[in-house]
Amino acid sequence: MDPDQIDPAGEGRVLSPDDGDYLRFERTLEQSPAEVWAALTDPDRTAAWAFRTEFEPREGGAVTMSDGGSGEVLAWEEPHSLEYAWDGYGGRWQVRIAIAEHGDGAYLTFDHVGPDPNSPDIAAGWHWHLDRLEVHLAGGTPEAVDSDAHFEELQRLYAHAEG
C-alpha cells in the first residue's frame, strides 16, 4: 500500500443505530483471522502500528497502554471479537473489533464507540492507524512517527467530509 494514497473503500463512516452513533471502518485483509488477531493483541505488534497495548486476555481483564492509558477488556473471543475501553485524552475511549474469515484472509470491522465518533480528527487517526496495521500485516515496518503527510491528508479528507 502506498501511504500517500487514500483508499476510499477504507474510509470510516458514522453509523447511527438507536443505541447511539459509532464510527465504523471495514477492511478486507489477506491475512488469516489468527494473524490479524495477533497483530491487534500482541504488545510488540501493537507497538509497530499504533501504540504498545497490553491485554489481560479475558473479559474483565486489564488493558494497559504505553501512553499511560488504562482500562478494561469488555469482550475477548479469540480470534474473532475484541472490545475494550480505556481512559485517555478526551474522555473514555471504546473500540469494538470483529474479525471474520473471508476467503483465504480476513474481514475486519473496527468500530470507534467513543469519545465523539463524529470527530474528523478521530476518524483520521483511526484510518491512519488501520493503514499502518495493513502495512505491518503485509510485512512492512511503519515509520515510528506520531504523524506524517498521509495523516495530514486524512485530516483534510475527514474535515472536508464534515463540512
Side-chain angles (χ1 to χ4, degrees):
M1 166 185 290
D2 180 346
D4 294 325
Q5 297 296 316
I6 297 173
D7 176 8
E11 285 184 35
R13 66 189 188 288
V14 174
L15 301 177
S16 300
D18 291 339
D19 60 348
D21 293 354
Y22 61 91
L23 173 64
R24 171 163 286 177
F25 293 89
E26 297 171 295
R27 303 282 176 108
T28 301
L29 305 169
E30 295 178 9
Q31 296 74 23
S32 70
E35 176 64 15
V36 175
W37 179 268
L40 292 168
T41 61
D42 178 275
D44 292 332
R45 298 198 56 194
T46 61
W49 62 271
F51 36 88
R52 184 177 184 81
T53 305
E54 296 188 39
F55 296 94
E56 186 178 354
R58 63 175 179 81
E59 186 175 326
V63 176
T64 307
M65 300 180 173
S66 60
D67 68 356
S70 63
E72 81 175 288
V73 175
L74 303 174
W76 183 280
E77 297 174 29
E78 185 174 347
H80 297 291
S81 179
L82 173 63
E83 184 172 359
Y84 58 103
W86 70 99
D87 295 316
Y89 177 76
R92 182 94 171 145
W93 288 70
Q94 182 178 345
V95 296
R96 191 172 44 219
I97 302 166
I99 306 165
E101 291 184 24
H102 183 77
D104 291 336
Y107 189 79
L108 174 71
T109 303
F110 183 100
D111 294 339
H112 170 87
V113 179
D116 194 3
N118 294 288
S119 165
D121 285 339
I122 290 173
W126 282 125
H127 188 139
W128 184 70
H129 282 300
L130 291 170
D131 286 351
R132 292 168 58 82
L133 170 64
E134 287 191 56
V135 169
H136 171 73
L137 285 166
T141 304
E143 190 175 351
V145 295
D146 293 329
S147 179
D148 59 15
H150 179 55
F151 178 69
E152 292 168 6
E153 181 61 29
L154 287 166
Q155 285 182 304
R156 287 188 290 276
L157 170 81
Y158 285 102
H160 178 71
E162 179 187 53

